[in-house]
């Protein structure tokens, strides 16, 4: 705002005493002071209000005015309550230094002037920033020239003195203050608390912005909605049904601002909502960039699950290398992660939700934590999502005795500790996330086994209590760990030799020999416990076991034969 606008506002009680030619100066703030030297508190462009308590004699006016001019203030307003009128020596000093001077009527409180200036300056700065945000939105919509969300967050800091961060639903910092060492950052514990509050508020149907006090500071949380006009997962083309909040709550970003937005004017709230819409454009762009990786993952996993020859899988991975492995090389190790999201009594397909969630939480451990990984590729089928995580091979010199060394993948326990708090609040009592992590495998030949290993680990996690559970390959029993890596042709031949005769007999006679065999082995060969479980007479159980032995040529009294049947059932 201009000094002239203050003079024209009659309610402020200002009277111009000098500096009429300087009234077009811009006022950027206001400061009230009676210090003899207030320079340390001035940054330039202020309207200085003073009650003249600093003046002991005429010589003080020259010194005080010279300090103000050197600090670059816009003007000086002196109150008349203390001395009855503004001293002539102050008027003369301001004239010599071309500093506009106003007299403030003694009936007008400095607080009235301060409030008016702050309101006008803040509104103008917000309006200017809104125009910049609008221009930036158009730039980002038409292409990547806008510079990403960091540019707009920098504007919030420089123009409105607002520290702000873009956070993922797990609390990962995506952009904002303290990024790349620029200014103080946001502690990871605060990030997790903010993300958890955002998820809980969204699940509870509360409208944003949400407010939270964390470590002595107040934060306001603004949801960032992305893809709001896309049809829900599994809906037909043109479907218009509203998306269930559970389909997006675990993938939407949020904007956290270090301020209490409860008393903000509507204009500033509108500005922040415009910022969230701008960031949503960037989010949609990143999602679109993942489309190619998702398709590649789907193709590779379909080959693996269909039992395609390893050479064919390896060839597909080589084609995918430029997309999945930028700067990583063409011969990585691989880790498979399986995730499943399930909702109690809800007809929501959990696969897309789990897919978006794995893409978020499986950040490359070697990358900057504020940057999403460009290497992880995630596919989904039904309620299950499957991630292919390429890991760089270890140099031979790093291994013992010139060997290849050990590849460190993503560890279930470490990941769970980072995401458990916010995601548990987002699942809100009616959802579960379970994850399983395979060991690293060094080639395409091992992917089939790694996939089954990750699925076994996820089932181990699913047997635990809690809303967010994960298990790694090291938690699997020894036989579960070995079975996934048995070649498919060996598995089929082994199970067919032992179990096909029993399946055929059951189909012809409905004798339930397979369920009987499973129960017998589960009861460690105890006749009485097995008969009680199956609600059979012991003699009937003995007849069925005898028939099993007759059809297969095996003896269930021998440990070796029991073990063979046990493994065959696990591989079938």
């Amino acid at each position: 705002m201009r000094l002239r606008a203050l003079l024209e506002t009659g309610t402020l009680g200002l009277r111009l005493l000098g500096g009429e030619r300087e009234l077009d100066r811009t006022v950027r703030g206001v400061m009230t002071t009676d210090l003899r030297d207030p320079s340390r508190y001035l940054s330039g462009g202020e309207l200085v209000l003073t009650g003249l308590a600093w003046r002991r004699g005429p010589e003080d006016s020259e010194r005080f005015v010279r300090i103000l001019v050197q600090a670059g203030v816009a003007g000086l307003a002196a109150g008349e309550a203390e001395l009855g009128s503004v001293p002539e020596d102050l008027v003369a000093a301001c004239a010599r230094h071309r500093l506009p001077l106003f007299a403030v009527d003694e009936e007008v409180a400095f607080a009235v002037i301060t409030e008016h200036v702050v309101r006008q300056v803040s509104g103008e700065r917000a309006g200017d920033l809104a125009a910049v945000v609008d221009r930036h939105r158009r730039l980002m919509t038409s292409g990547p020239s806008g510079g990403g969300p960091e540019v707009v967050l920098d504007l919030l800091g420089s123009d409105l003195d607002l520290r702000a961060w873009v956070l993922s639903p797990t609390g990962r910092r995506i952009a904002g203050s303290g990024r790349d060492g620029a200014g103080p950052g946001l502690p990871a514990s605060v990030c997790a608390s903010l993300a958890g509050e955002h998820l809980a508020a969204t699940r509870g149907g509360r409208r944003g912005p949400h407010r939270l006090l964390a470590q002595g500071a107040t934060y306001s949380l603004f949801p960032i909605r992305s893809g709001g006009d896309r049809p829900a997962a599994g809906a037909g083309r043109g479907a218009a049904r509203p998306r269930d909040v559970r389909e997006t709550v675990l993938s939407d970003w949020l904007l956290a601002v270090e301020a209490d937005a409860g008393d903000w004017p509507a204009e500033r709230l509108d500005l922040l909502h415009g910022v969230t819409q701008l960031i949503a454009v960037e989010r949609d762009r990143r999602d679109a960039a993942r489309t190619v990786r998702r398709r590649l993952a789907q193709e590779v996993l379909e080959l693996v699950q269909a039992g395609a020859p390893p050479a064919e899988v390896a060839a597909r991975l080589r084609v995918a290398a430029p997309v999945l492995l930028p700067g990583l090389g063409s011969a990585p190790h691989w880790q498979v992660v399986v995730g499943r999201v399930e909702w109690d009594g809800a007809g929501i397909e959990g696969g897309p939700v789990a897919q978006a969630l794995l893409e978020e939480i499986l950040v490359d451990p070697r990358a900057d934590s504020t940057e999403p990984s460009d290497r992880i590729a995630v596919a989904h089928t039904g309620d299950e999502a499957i991630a292919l995580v390429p890991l760089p091979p270890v140099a031979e010199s790093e291994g013992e005795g010139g060997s290849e060394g050990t590849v460190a993948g993503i560890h279930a326990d470490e990941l769970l500790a980072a995401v458990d708090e916010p995601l548990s609040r987002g699942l809100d009592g009616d959802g579960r996330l379970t994850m399983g992590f395979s060991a690293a495998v060094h080639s395409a030949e091992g992917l089939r086994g790694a996939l089954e290993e990750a699925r076994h680990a996820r089932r181990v996690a699913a047997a635990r209590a809690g809303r967010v559970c994960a298990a790694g390959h090291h938690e699997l029993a020894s036989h579960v760990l070995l079975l996934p890596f048995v070649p498919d042709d060996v598995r089929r031949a082994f199970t067919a030799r032992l179990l096909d005769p029993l399946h055929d007999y059951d189909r012809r006679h409905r004798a339930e020999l397979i369920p009987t065999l499973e129960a017998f082995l589960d009861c460690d060969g105890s006749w009485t416990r097995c008969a009680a479980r199956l609600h059979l007479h012991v003699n009937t159980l003995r007849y069925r076991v005898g028939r099993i032995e007759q059809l297969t040529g095996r003896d269930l009294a021998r440990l070796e034969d029991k073990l063979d049947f046990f493994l065959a059932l696990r591989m079938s």
Side-chain angles (χ1 to χ4, degrees):
M1 66 177 302
R2 307 289 182 180
L3 285 173
R4 190 180 306 278
L6 292 175
L7 186 62
E8 293 171 353
T9 305
T11 57
L12 298 183
L14 296 179
R15 189 172 71 259
L16 183 65
L17 300 181
E20 184 175 2
R21 294 182 179 181
E22 311 298 330
L23 290 181
D24 286 329
R25 289 185 181 182
T26 300
V27 178
R28 297 187 177 88
V30 62
M31 177 188 178
T32 299
T33 183
D34 276 317
L35 295 174
R36 294 173 64 83
D37 182 1
S39 58
R40 72 181 70 180
Y41 304 108
L42 297 170
S43 57
E46 296 92 349
L47 173 67
V48 174
L49 305 176
T50 180
L52 302 176
W54 48 266
R55 183 181 180 276
R56 297 290 184 270
E59 67 279 2
D60 292 337
S61 294
E62 173 68 22
R63 178 177 179 275
F64 184 76
V65 170
R66 187 169 55 250
I67 289 172
L68 298 187
V69 171
Q70 290 173 351
V73 303
L76 174 64
E80 296 180 321
E82 182 73 18
L83 302 178
S85 64
V86 177
E88 288 299 326
D89 49 89
L90 179 59
V91 175
C94 287
R96 281 193 297 273
H97 293 281
R98 299 175 59 185
L99 179 66
L101 175 64
F102 301 89
V104 181
D105 190 285
E106 61 179 317
E107 300 297 327
V108 178
F110 282 176
V112 173
I113 301 174
T114 299
E115 182 181 354
H116 177 82
V117 172
V118 169
R119 185 167 59 249
Q120 294 298 316
V121 170
S122 178
E124 290 176 3
R125 291 166 71 187
D128 293 341
L129 183 55
V132 173
V133 168
D134 184 66
R135 176 176 59 83
H136 199 69
R137 183 190 297 114
R138 291 195 298 271
L139 287 172
M140 289 186 67
T141 302
S142 60
S145 57
E150 292 84 2
V151 174
V152 141
L153 297 188
D154 288 344
L155 289 173
L156 287 178
S158 62
D159 283 31
L160 295 183
D161 299 323
L162 292 176
R163 298 177 69 210
W165 300 263
V166 177
L167 303 178
S168 78
T170 64
R172 180 173 61 86
R173 289 188 298 275
I174 296 169
S177 304
R179 191 174 183 274
D180 298 330
L186 198 62
S189 59
V190 174
C191 290
S193 297
L194 296 178
E197 175 63 19
H198 159 72
L199 291 173
T202 302
R203 285 301 313 276
R206 287 183 275 152
R207 298 185 60 183
H210 319 301
R211 287 173 289 165
L212 177 69
L213 180 66
Q215 295 189 7
T218 299
Y219 298 88
S220 298
L221 312 179
F222 296 81
I224 298 173
R225 309 295 187 194
S226 92
D229 55 353
R230 292 195 297 265
R237 180 174 296 181
R241 74 166 177 84
R243 302 186 75 179
D244 191 304
V245 67
R246 289 170 291 188
E247 296 178 71
T248 59
V249 65
L250 298 181
S251 58
D252 282 342
W253 291 353
L254 68 139
L255 175 67
V257 179
E258 189 178 359
D260 188 344
D263 57 355
W264 280 5
E267 293 80 5
R268 180 167 287 202
L269 288 174
D270 288 343
L271 172 62
L272 267 293
H273 286 305
V275 170
T276 64
Q277 293 170 7
L278 175 58
I279 296 171
V281 174
E282 175 67 13
R283 172 63 193 273
D284 287 341
R285 178 174 289 118
R286 294 191 187 186
D287 281 347
R290 287 179 171 145
T291 302
V292 175
R293 296 198 298 277
R294 289 174 174 176
R295 185 174 66 249
L296 291 172
Q298 199 78 38
E299 293 173 358
V300 170
L301 290 169
E302 286 175 358
L303 289 174
V304 170
Q305 294 185 105
E312 185 177 350
V313 178
R316 191 69 192 90
L317 286 175
R318 282 194 296 273
V319 173
V323 176
L324 296 180
L325 315 171
L328 193 59
S330 58
H333 289 69
W334 296 93
Q335 185 176 20
V336 177
V337 181
V338 173
R340 192 179 183 94
V341 173
E342 299 171 289
W343 305 98
D344 296 342
I348 299 174
E349 187 180 358
V353 181
Q355 180 183 48
L357 197 52
L358 287 187
E359 287 172 336
E360 162 54 37
I361 64 180
L362 295 178
V363 176
D364 188 336
R366 286 159 299 282
D368 185 337
S369 63
T370 63
E371 290 292 345
S373 170
D374 288 330
R375 297 170 179 169
I376 296 164
V378 188
H380 76 83
T381 55
D383 287 335
E384 184 180 74
I386 304 165
L388 287 175
V389 184
L391 306 169
V394 175
E396 290 189 1
S397 60
E398 295 180 19
E400 296 181 4
S403 63
E404 198 175 43
T406 301
V407 175
I410 301 174
H411 294 282
D413 293 342
E414 295 176 2
L415 185 142
L416 187 63
V419 305
D420 181 52
E421 177 190 348
L423 292 185
S424 292
R425 299 191 68 184
L427 293 163
D428 193 35
D430 65 347
R432 287 201 79 199
L433 167 66
T434 53
M435 295 176 289
F437 295 73
S438 77
V441 295
H442 63 83
S443 66
E445 287 86 346
L447 281 180
R448 174 65 183 271
L451 175 58
E452 294 199 26
E453 186 178 73
R455 281 174 167 159
H456 281 304
R458 194 206 64 79
R459 285 192 283 270
V460 170
R464 296 172 176 166
R467 290 291 162 187
V468 182
C469 299
H473 63 92
H474 59 283
E475 300 181 66
L476 302 179
S478 57
H479 72 277
V480 177
L481 181 62
L482 292 174
L483 290 183
F485 298 95
V486 177
D488 290 341
D489 54 346
V490 175
R491 293 158 63 98
R492 286 192 290 268
F494 184 76
T495 56
R497 182 181 306 168
L498 281 175
L499 302 183
D500 278 3
L502 305 183
H503 284 300
D504 292 341
Y505 193 86
D506 280 348
R507 278 194 296 270
R508 293 196 308 270
H509 303 284
R510 298 182 181 180
E512 298 188 357
L513 295 185
I514 292 292
T516 300
L517 176 61
E518 292 175 334
F520 186 73
L521 295 175
D522 195 45
C523 293
D524 299 322
S526 169
W527 296 100
T528 53
R529 283 196 289 123
C530 183
R533 174 181 293 189
L534 296 175
H535 306 289
L536 298 175
H537 192 278
V538 173
N539 290 339
T540 303
L541 176 61
R542 290 183 184 278
Y543 171 80
R544 290 187 181 180
V545 171
R547 180 62 67 183
I548 292 171
E549 293 173 336
Q550 180 185 5
L551 292 170
T552 60
R554 299 299 184 105
D555 182 359
L556 280 169
R558 299 179 66 246
L559 176 62
E560 293 86 347
D561 288 339
K562 286 181 180 177
L563 180 58
D564 283 349
F565 277 121
F566 176 81
L567 294 176
L569 289 169
R570 290 296 183 272
M571 288 190 292
S572 61

